């Protein structure tokens, strides 16, 4: 395996493609931008201060695909025959999923174009929504599929890098299979400043993994899972179990929803 | 009626809807909370309100129940907005109808005091120099005391 963008001396070099067979090439890249549920709702309803977010991001993605060669030093200018950028609003995971599809009849692949389209569409979504939500995260930008050219078809097999929230849930899910129990997990939620400082919105744990089936046991488990456990030490941390405020230590049952949040400031 | 919504509300429509169809109401008190352009920072340019879906509605229902057990209340409407708002925007409306005025004034104040301290809403204020989450106010907690004394 060699790096085709380096010459024999290890210097950067654009690959000479004049001898390559022209073939039908396609690539699909995906990515997502995770935002506050409220931001996603505003976006869905077209209430963003900057206007029609998705239409703008789509055009941005298409334009970016066409200009990939200007951004990526050793990339060829391509005559793309098709670029499509699509969005899926995922309310369950409060993110916008971006898919870019590029096609051409040519001598080099279109992966870079598809990846650039996804990246710039995500960046545009960020720009359009940042007035209401600066904490949005662009993640999982990756090639899902490519076809054509010498290497033929390549397809991503299993989902790769997951975000922090999901990886913890996935870990719990894995433990679940190992245990082979039907025990329902305890769902944990964080709100407002607490969520931002922890960088986590939701966690999930099987009661069997707690040192004790109590709020104290649950907090201890959360501490072992988060990067900034000291955030949970603030004296005015409020807690609700199944939508009711609780004080002191209480029993936690399978299937409970436990929420932690700072003092409320509505009205 | 308890509603949590992104959209602005029309206080006139809410007023018309209160106790519609009944004529046992002699008093209506309504409160509207608005976005100020000063709070913890002197120049608030906007705020974003977040809530805990499910629990917020439940907390508000429980506040209304408590008000109903204390005063003779005919009808209550609470509308609370969430999401992005700018100074001058209405955030919350509480309307109470009762046969006599004192109950309406008190029940409306009672509901607002408990809404502020027990319903899971959080405000993040935006200013030119950055954003921050609003802290709880001692005065809001102190407001609850007067309802204990009676």
């Amino acid at each position: 395996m060699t790096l085709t963008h380096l010459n024999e001396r290890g210097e950067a070099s654009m690959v000479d493609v004049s001898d390559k067979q022209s073939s039908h090439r396609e690539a699909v890249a995906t990515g997502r931008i995770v935002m506050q549920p409220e931001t996603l709702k505003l976006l869905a309803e077209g209430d963003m201060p900057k206007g029609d977010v998705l239409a703008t991001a789509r055009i941005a993605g298409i334009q970016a695909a066409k200009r990939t060669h200007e951004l990526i030093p050793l990339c060829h200018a391509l005559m793309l025959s098709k670029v499509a950028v699509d969005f899926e609003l995922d309310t369950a995971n409060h993110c916008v999923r971006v898919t870019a599809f590029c096609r051409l009849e040519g001598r080099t692949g279109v992966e870079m174009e598809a990846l650039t389209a996804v990246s710039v569409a995500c960046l545009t979504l960020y720009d359009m929504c940042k007035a209401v939500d600066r904490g949005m995260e662009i993640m999982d930008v990756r090639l899902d599929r490519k076809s054509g050219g010498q290497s033929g078809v390549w397809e991503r097999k299993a989902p790769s890098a997951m975000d922090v929230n999901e990886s913890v849930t996935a870990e719990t899910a894995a433990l679940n299979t190992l245990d082979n129990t039907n025990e329902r997990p305890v769902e944990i939620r964080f709100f407002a400043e607490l969520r931002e400082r922890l960088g986590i919105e939701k966690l999930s744990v099987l009661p069997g993994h707690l040192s004790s089936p109590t709020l104290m046991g649950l907090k201890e488990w959360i501490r072992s899972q988060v990067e900034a456990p000291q955030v949970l030490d603030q004296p005015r941390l409020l807690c609700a179990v199944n939508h009711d405020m609780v004080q002191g230590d209480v029993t936690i049952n399978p299937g409970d929803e436990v929420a932690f949040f700072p003092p409320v400031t509505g009205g | 009626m308890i509603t949590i919504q992104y959209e602005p509300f029309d206080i006139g429509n809410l007023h018309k809807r209160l106790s519609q169809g009944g004529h046992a109401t002699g008093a209506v008190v309504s409160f509207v909370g608005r976005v100020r352009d000063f709070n913890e920072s002197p120049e608030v340019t906007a705020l974003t309100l977040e809530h805990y879906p499910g629990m917020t509605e439940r907390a508000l229902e429980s506040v209304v129940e408590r008000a109903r057990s204390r005063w003779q209340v005919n009808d209550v409407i609470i509308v609370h907005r969430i999401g992005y708002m700018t100074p001058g925007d209405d955030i919350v409306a509480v309307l109470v109808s009762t046969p006599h005025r004192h109950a309406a004034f008190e029940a409306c104040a009672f509901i607002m005091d408990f809404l502020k301290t027990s319903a899971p809403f959080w405000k993040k204020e935006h200013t030119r120099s950055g954003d921050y989450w609003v802290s709880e106010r001692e005065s809001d907690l102190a407001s609850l005391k007067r309802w204990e004394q009676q």
Side-chain angles (χ1 to χ4, degrees):
Chain A
M1 198 59 149
T2 53
L3 297 171
T4 56
H5 282 151
L6 298 181
N7 64 13
E8 285 163 6
R9 275 198 261 241
E11 296 157 343
S13 116
M14 200 159 175
V15 178
D16 183 347
V17 296
S18 55
D19 293 337
K20 279 196 183 180
Q21 279 282 331
S22 180
S23 75
H24 187 76
R25 294 159 185 268
E26 292 181 352
V28 177
T30 55
R32 64 190 182 117
I33 176 164
V34 182
M35 54 188 70
Q36 295 298 326
E38 291 76 14
T39 313
L40 186 64
K41 182 132 191 276
L42 283 177
L43 195 156
E45 288 167 357
D47 286 338
M48 279 296 170
K50 287 195 178 181
D52 192 339
V53 174
L54 296 184
T56 311
R58 175 174 286 119
I59 298 298
I62 293 171
Q63 291 293 89
K66 294 197 288 186
R67 305 180 72 157
T68 303
H69 69 282
E70 293 174 17
L71 299 168
I72 311 297
L74 306 178
C75 211
H76 294 84
L78 302 179
M79 283 292 286
L80 291 166
S81 58
K82 164 92 182 161
V83 184
V85 177
D86 285 306
F87 302 98
E88 181 202 332
L89 305 188
D90 181 344
T91 44
N93 298 299
H94 48 91
C95 64
V96 178
R97 293 181 188 279
V98 182
T99 306
F101 170 79
C102 292
R103 178 194 291 152
L104 93 164
E105 194 67 41
R107 295 193 169 93
T108 83
V110 283
E111 304 94 289
M112 290 314 298
E113 281 69 16
L115 286 165
T116 304
V118 168
S119 305
V120 173
C122 284
L123 286 171
T124 305
L125 289 173
Y126 187 96
D127 180 51
M128 298 288 285
C129 305
K130 68 178 186 297
V132 297
D133 186 357
R134 286 205 167 70
M136 289 178 289
E137 283 182 65
I138 293 170
M139 47 178 66
D140 303 342
V141 175
R142 59 200 179 194
L143 182 70
D144 276 5
R145 185 174 194 282
K146 64 145 285 200
S147 63
Q150 217 173 8
S151 57
V153 176
W154 178 89
E155 215 154 348
R156 179 172 297 280
K157 286 191 185 75
S160 71
M162 283 176 293
D163 67 26
V164 184
N165 311 354
E166 282 175 12
S167 62
V168 177
T169 317
E171 189 183 66
T172 319
L175 290 168
N176 197 358
T177 354
L178 282 178
D179 288 359
N180 200 19
T181 61
N182 291 320
E183 204 180 25
R184 284 188 300 150
V186 175
E187 303 294 341
I188 306 154
R189 304 188 64 175
F190 303 101
F191 287 92
E193 189 170 15
L194 187 68
R195 177 196 60 234
E196 287 189 354
R197 291 179 63 190
L198 286 172
I200 297 175
E201 186 183 357
K202 287 178 185 174
L203 288 173
S204 178
V205 62
L206 289 170
H209 293 108
L210 303 179
S211 58
S212 71
T214 61
L215 195 56
M216 285 300 155
L218 187 70
K219 274 193 187 172
E220 188 188 316
W221 180 83
I222 295 169
R223 275 176 220 281
S224 72
Q225 299 292 311
V226 300
E227 277 177 35
Q230 73 280 3
V231 172
L232 294 162
D233 294 333
Q234 54 177 294
R236 291 285 288 140
L237 181 75
L238 304 183
C239 178
V241 176
N242 300 326
H243 295 170
D244 280 326
M245 295 291 292
V246 295
Q247 282 180 337
D249 203 8
V250 295
T251 306
I252 300 295
N253 297 304
D256 277 355
E257 178 173 303
V258 182
F260 295 93
F261 43 81
V264 302
T265 54
Chain B
M1 184 192 77
I2 289 162
T3 311
I4 291 159
Q5 61 185 40
Y6 282 90
E7 304 74 28
F9 53 79
D10 180 333
I11 187 73
N13 284 343
L14 298 177
H15 185 89
K16 270 182 222 150
R17 246 194 288 171
L18 192 74
S19 292
Q20 210 163 37
H23 297 288
T25 287
V28 171
V29 167
S30 56
F31 170 86
V32 173
R34 274 195 184 163
V35 183
R36 262 195 312 269
D37 65 358
F38 67 94
N39 195 35
E40 287 183 25
S41 146
E43 277 182 272
V44 176
T45 53
L47 64 77
T48 305
L49 238 150
E50 174 179 334
H51 80 307
Y52 179 2
M55 178 172 174
T56 309
E57 291 83 347
R58 184 159 165 169
L60 293 176
E61 276 162 20
S62 128
V63 173
V64 171
E65 273 319 299
R66 288 172 66 185
R68 283 182 182 281
S69 68
R70 267 179 102 132
W71 295 278
Q72 193 186 340
V73 171
N74 291 341
D75 199 8
V76 176
I77 291 180
I78 301 177
V79 180
H80 203 300
R81 289 185 64 200
I82 49 170
Y84 184 79
M85 282 165 259
T86 52
D89 285 353
D90 291 342
I91 304 177
V92 59
V94 175
L95 297 87
V96 179
S97 63
T98 61
H100 302 287
R101 72 181 183 284
H102 291 303
F105 278 122
E106 291 196 347
C108 188
F110 175 93
I111 291 171
M112 265 317 292
D113 284 351
F114 279 88
L115 181 153
K116 283 217 137 242
T117 49
S118 69
F121 288 106
W122 301 275
K123 283 193 193 106
K124 188 187 218 179
E125 290 183 342
H126 308 289
T127 71
R128 268 176 253 287
S129 50
D131 305 340
Y132 53 86
W133 289 93
V134 174
S135 322
E136 67 181 329
R137 293 164 81 105
E138 285 300 323
S139 59
D140 286 335
L141 294 170
S143 296
L144 294 182
K145 292 252 160 48
R146 63 172 156 157
W147 304 114
E148 288 167 12
Q149 285 156 8
Q150 289 173 21

